[in-house]
Amino acid sequence: MASSGAEKKEKLKLYSYWKSSCSHRVRIALAFKGIEYEYTPVNPLKRDEFLKINPMGAVPALVDGDVVVSDSLAIIMYLDEKYPEPPLLPPDLHKRAVNYQAASIVLSGIQPFQNTPVARYIEEKTNAEEKTAWVNNAITKGFTALEKLLVSCTGKYATGDEVYLADLFLAPQIHAAINRFQINMEPYPTLAKCYESYNDLPAFQNAVPEKQPDAPASTS
């Protein structure tokens, strides 16, 4: 027997923190694919309840009905498989590999070293100058590798004229480098050109930290 009314589909729920670059890249993925979701802010200083969602205590986490996915790459790949249009991986095998490499450089070669708890620990064990040098070294080393990786295959975006996985990782990382860590982008013209292109995309601009509901008023 047919239902008399369409059952309301439960929205995805994203546990996020405005300044987190990991959360930032997932917000881009959701916006880029046009997926409606509920934004649930997580205060990193008061996260006892959130530990029930993700025992690691790290954002982001995505709740889709009974499914809970944590880790930004896992979330993005889950979304890409469940909502395949527009795709986040190109059909070309080489470009697909480049996307994976770019994401990996950000995910494992840069972001963990600039993460607030790590940077705070470095400062506590040394001083503020050493912390800054630590973060800057991680970013510049990673950006140098990304520049070399992408210079021969970039178009309007990281691997051509379509947005793919690499762009979702580059945009938040460059945004943080410029706005949080005052990194000079002049040595990285390929990355700078991509970042400029992201500024024309609503999905990217609506996902920036300053526009999130838990962002301090002074940042907007």
Side-chain angles (χ1 to χ4, degrees), residues 6 12 19 43 64 71 77 94 104 107 110 133-134 139 162 164 187-188:
L12 301 182
K19 196 165 64 171
N43 185 331
D64 182 10
D71 180 86
M77 299 315 296
H94 174 235
S104 180
L107 190 65
I110 305 177
W134 166 273
I139 295 174
E162 301 291 337
Y164 288 123
Y188 318 108

Side-chain angles (χ1 to χ4, degrees), residues 154-217:
T154 190
K156 189 174 183 181
Y157 307 113
T159 57
D161 293 331
E162 301 291 337
V163 168
Y164 288 123
L165 182 70
D167 301 296
L168 274 60
F169 281 76
L170 286 180
Q173 182 56 61
I174 299 172
H175 185 277
I178 293 171
N179 294 285
R180 289 174 57 191
F181 305 113
Q182 290 73 55
I183 298 294
N184 176 20
M185 293 301 296
E186 190 174 345
Y188 318 108
T190 302
L191 302 186
K193 179 171 71 73
C194 289
Y195 188 64
E196 187 175 344
S197 296
Y198 303 147
N199 290 331
D200 296 328
L201 301 175
F204 281 68
Q205 287 309 297
N206 292 335
V208 297
E210 297 78 14
K211 293 186 179 180
Q212 305 317 302
D214 55 330

Side-chain angles (χ1 to χ4, degrees), residues 44-147:
L45 301 178
K46 301 176 182 178
R47 57 184 184 183
D48 290 349
E49 283 298 310
F50 179 62
L51 290 174
K52 297 175 184 176
I53 302 295
N54 181 11
M56 284 293 289
V59 291
L62 183 78
V63 177
D64 182 10
D66 295 330
V67 175
V68 179
V69 187
S70 57
D71 180 86
S72 63
L73 179 60
I75 293 171
I76 290 169
M77 299 315 296
Y78 174 84
L79 292 172
D80 200 40
E81 292 184 18
K82 183 168 183 178
Y83 307 93
E85 295 297 332
L88 291 176
L89 289 170
D92 180 83
L93 191 60
H94 174 235
K95 285 190 175 183
R96 186 173 289 220
V98 171
N99 274 270
Y100 285 135
Q101 289 177 77
S104 180
I105 289 171
V106 173
L107 190 65
S108 61
I110 305 177
Q111 193 275 329
F113 299 96
Q114 70 180 38
N115 208 17
T116 300
V118 174
R120 186 182 297 126
Y121 179 82
I122 296 295
E123 184 171 6
E124 288 172 355
K125 294 297 181 181
T126 57
N127 53 56
E129 290 75 17
E130 286 295 324
K131 177 202 72 173
T132 300
W134 166 273
V135 172
N136 286 356
N137 178 67
I139 295 174
T140 55
K141 182 179 178 181
F143 277 10
T144 300
L146 286 165
E147 184 73 20

